Amino acid sequence: MSATTQRDFTWGVSTSSYQIEGAVNEDGRGPSIWDLHCRQRGRIRNDDTGDVACDHYHRYAEDVAIMREMGVQAYRFSVAWPRVLPRGRGAINPAGLDFYDRLIDALLAAKIEPWLCLFHWDLPVGLDELGGWTNRDSAGWFADYATLIARRYGDRVKRFATFNEPSVFAIFGYLFGWNAPGIADRDAFLRTCHHINLAHGAGVDVLRALVPGASLGAVHNRQPTFPRRPTEGDREAAARLDALWNLIFPDPQHLGHYPAILARDMEPFMRAGDLAKICRPVDWFGMNHYSPIYAREDAKSQLGFAWADAPDDEPKTGIGWNIRPEAFCNELIAAHTSYGLPVYVLENGFGARDTIAADGAVHDQDRIDYLTAYIGAMDDANRAGADVRGYFVWSLLDNFEWGSGYSDRFGLVYVDYPTQRRIPKDSSRWYADLIKARHLTPALSA
Ligand code: FCB
C-alpha cells in the first residue's frame, strides 16, 4: 500500500431503495415482497412499513446536497426493480426510470460517483407469484432487468453491483422465514441460492456487454461465525453457518465451485454447465461487515444449525451487535486472500437508538468510536496486504431497518420521521473531517 495515495481510495455512504425511498404507490411503482411482508401484522417491530420511509423519492436533491456537504466521493444506492418494471418483467414504467435519471444526474453534478446495486431485496410481487428466486427462470428475468438498467444508465454509471447480501436475504427470507417472502423451507432455500448465483452470472454478462468501462462486483456480507458453546456440536453448526453465510455465493462466483460441506446439498438443483455461467470475471469483491455471528447445534434445524445470540460479556453497539474490530481486519484479509480481488467495504456501521439532545443536536460519540476502531482495523488489513480500495458507511440516513422498523438507527444523519427533517449527527461532521484529512494526506505507511 506504500505507493498508493489516499486519492486512490474511495470514501462513500450506502443506502437501499426500500429502506429510504417511500412513495410505494406513486408514479406507477408496482408492489414488492417487502410491501406485502410489512402488511402482515406482527412481522415488523411496531408494524412499521416502508410506505414513506425517508421520503427520499421526493427529497433526493436535499439528500444529495447533504452528501456533497459531507464530502463523500461515492454513493451506493439500489434501484427498486418494481419501480422500473412494476410486475418485474414486461411493461416498463417510464416515470420510475426518470427518477433514477434525476438521482444520477444530481450525483454527477455534485461530483459524487454513483454505485448502482441492482437488487437490495425488494423483489417485485409479480415475480414472487411465479415462484420468485425459487423459479429457475429468475436468472433470465434478472438479466432482462439488468439489460434495461445498463442501457438506460450505462452512459453515466460505471460501478454496478448485482446483488446485496444474497446470503442474508436467502437465509432470513427462505430458510428461517423471518424476512420477505417469509418462506422456511430447506429445498426452496437451496434452490434460491443456486438461482441467485445464476442470475448474478447472467447480470455480469449483460453489464459487461452493454456498459463500456464497467466496473462490476457483488456485495457479500462476511462475518466470522463462532460456536455459541465450545462443544463439538456447536463447532459443526458454526462451520455449516460459515458455509451458508459467507461462502455459498462468493465461492461459486469467484472460484467456480460450492464449498465442499454443501456440495451434496446443492447437487439436485444444478445442471451441467451452471458453474461456468456463475463464475464470471468481476472487478472487485464488495464486502459488508458488522460483527461476528454465532451458531448452536439443533437437531430439528433444516440445515444443521440454529441461530444463537452473542455472548453477554462482549462490548455491544446500541442495538446489541457485538463490537470486534479485529474480526473485521481478519475478514478483509481472508476475503482478499480467498478470491484475489480488490476489496471495497460497501457497508459498515453502528446501530443505536439515537435521540435529539436538548441542544437540538444528535451526539453519537459511540458511533464515532465504533467507526474509528473499524476504519483502524481496515488500515491494519491494508498494511497486511488486503488491497481494500474503498469504505462506505451504512448509512447516509436513518432508515427502515427491515424487521426492526424505524427504531434502530444507523444513519450519519438523523431523520425526524414525523417532519422528515434531516439533522446531521456529530458522526457526519466527524466523517466529513476524516474524508477531508485522508483524501489529501499521503497513504498509510507500509
Ligand atoms: C445489512 C443490510 C442493510 C442494512 C444493514 C444494517 O445487512 O444490507 O440493508 O439493513 O444490514
Side-chain angles (χ1 to χ4, degrees):
M1 177 88 201
S2 53
T4 7
T5 71
Q6 286 294 314
R7 280 176 209 286
D8 302 317
F9 194 89
T10 303
W11 297 96
V13 284
S14 292
T15 65
S16 88
S17 45
Y18 190 71
Q19 294 179 277
I20 66 166
E21 284 181 5
V24 293
N25 290 317
E26 272 178 65
D27 295 342
R29 176 187 179 279
S32 80
I33 55 174
W34 274 92
D35 295 289
L36 297 199
H37 192 73
C38 292
R39 282 194 173 34
Q40 295 171 28
R41 290 193 72 79
R43 282 286 195 182
I44 311 292
R45 201 180 294 158
N46 303 319
D47 287 325
D48 287 340
T49 75
D51 287 2
V52 178
C54 308
D55 196 29
H56 173 77
Y57 185 72
H58 299 113
R59 294 168 195 262
Y60 72 90
E62 179 185 352
D63 294 337
V64 172
I66 290 171
M67 284 189 267
R68 188 180 47 200
E69 182 69 26
M70 215 184 273
V72 297
Q73 298 155 259
Y75 173 54
R76 174 169 79 105
F77 64 98
S78 71
V79 169
W81 189 341
R83 198 178 285 291
V84 297
L85 287 163
R87 299 285 300 158
R89 54 185 196 145
I92 291 165
N93 178 28
L97 288 168
D98 289 349
F99 168 66
Y100 297 105
D101 273 331
R102 291 196 294 278
L103 172 64
I104 290 164
D105 291 344
L107 289 166
L108 294 173
K111 300 206 167 17
I112 298 169
E113 185 183 33
W115 285 55
L116 189 158
C117 177
L118 285 166
F119 189 79
H120 200 128
W121 308 1
D122 40 3
L123 185 75
V125 167
L127 299 182
D128 191 55
E129 286 168 359
L130 302 173
W133 297 113
T134 68
N135 184 334
R136 197 176 154 103
D137 290 346
S138 54
W141 305 332
F142 186 75
D144 291 346
Y145 162 54
T147 302
L148 173 70
I149 297 299
R151 292 217 169 106
R152 178 76 175 216
Y153 308 119
D155 57 336
R156 287 156 291 160
V157 179
K158 300 297 170 191
R159 303 281 196 167
F160 290 91
T162 52
F163 284 85
N164 175 74
E165 296 189 355
S167 67
V168 178
F169 80 78
I171 292 177
F172 289 170
Y174 294 83
L175 184 62
F176 291 149
W178 301 336
N179 279 4
I183 294 171
D185 181 275
R186 175 190 180 279
D187 278 15
F189 164 74
L190 294 169
R191 205 185 288 279
T192 283
C193 291
H194 189 57
H195 297 161
I196 292 168
N197 274 325
L198 286 167
H200 161 83
V204 167
D205 285 349
V206 162
L207 292 162
R208 193 70 80 199
L210 297 179
V211 181
S215 174
L216 308 176
V219 186
H220 299 289
N221 188 296
R222 201 181 156 107
Q223 330 284 353
T225 58
F226 293 122
R228 183 61 181 83
R229 298 155 305 186
T231 62
E232 198 40 44
D234 280 12
R235 264 194 285 277
E236 268 170 38
R240 299 280 299 175
L241 178 58
D242 180 40
L244 292 168
W245 190 277
N246 294 317
L247 309 176
I248 192 168
F249 294 99
D251 276 12
Q253 290 177 15
H254 306 310
L255 305 176
H257 58 75
Y258 281 102
I261 195 174
L262 296 175
R264 187 121 39 93
D265 294 308
M266 297 311 291
E267 237 164 57
F269 311 108
M270 293 171 64
R271 294 189 192 159
D274 278 1
L275 287 167
K277 291 185 186 156
I278 292 168
C279 183
R280 314 300 296 152
V282 295
D283 303 294
W284 37 265
F285 183 86
M287 185 173 127
N288 293 354
H289 177 95
Y290 291 89
S291 65
I293 52 176
Y294 294 82
R296 59 180 169 76
E297 72 174 311
D298 177 1
K300 293 192 301 292
S301 93
Q302 302 199 65
L303 272 170
F305 73 96
W307 195 255
D309 288 334
D312 288 335
D313 52 355
E314 295 256 336
K316 301 249 178 9
T317 68
I319 57 164
W321 295 8
N322 54 345
I323 301 177
R324 232 199 269 180
E326 67 280 9
F328 183 40
C329 174
N330 295 341
E331 292 304 316
L332 288 167
I333 296 168
H336 178 62
T337 311
S338 303
Y339 307 120
L341 290 166
V343 179
Y344 285 90
V345 177
L346 293 175
E347 281 184 32
N348 173 238
F350 180 93
R353 305 276 161 82
D354 303 279
T355 50
I356 306 175
D359 62 0
V362 179
H363 303 298
D364 57 342
Q365 186 58 44
D366 40 6
R367 178 170 290 103
I368 295 173
D369 293 344
Y370 174 99
L371 295 174
T372 304
Y374 274 70
I375 289 171
M378 175 182 72
D379 292 343
D380 290 343
N382 256 342
R383 277 186 212 100
D387 196 12
V388 185
R389 306 228 181 136
Y391 176 90
F392 290 53
V393 175
W394 182 271
S395 179
L396 169 65
L397 302 167
D398 293 339
N399 59 47
F400 175 79
E401 178 46 33
W402 310 116
S404 324
Y406 295 100
S407 44
D408 292 353
R409 294 173 178 270
F410 278 86
L412 296 173
V413 175
Y414 184 93
V415 177
D416 179 44
Y417 293 110
T419 62
Q420 289 293 344
R421 195 155 65 93
R422 273 70 167 140
I423 306 171
K425 301 178 192 176
D426 289 356
S427 58
S428 88
R429 278 177 279 272
W430 168 86
Y431 194 46
D433 289 345
L434 176 131
I435 295 171
K436 217 180 287 160
R438 296 205 35 175
H439 187 46
L440 298 174
T441 50
L444 307 164
S445 48

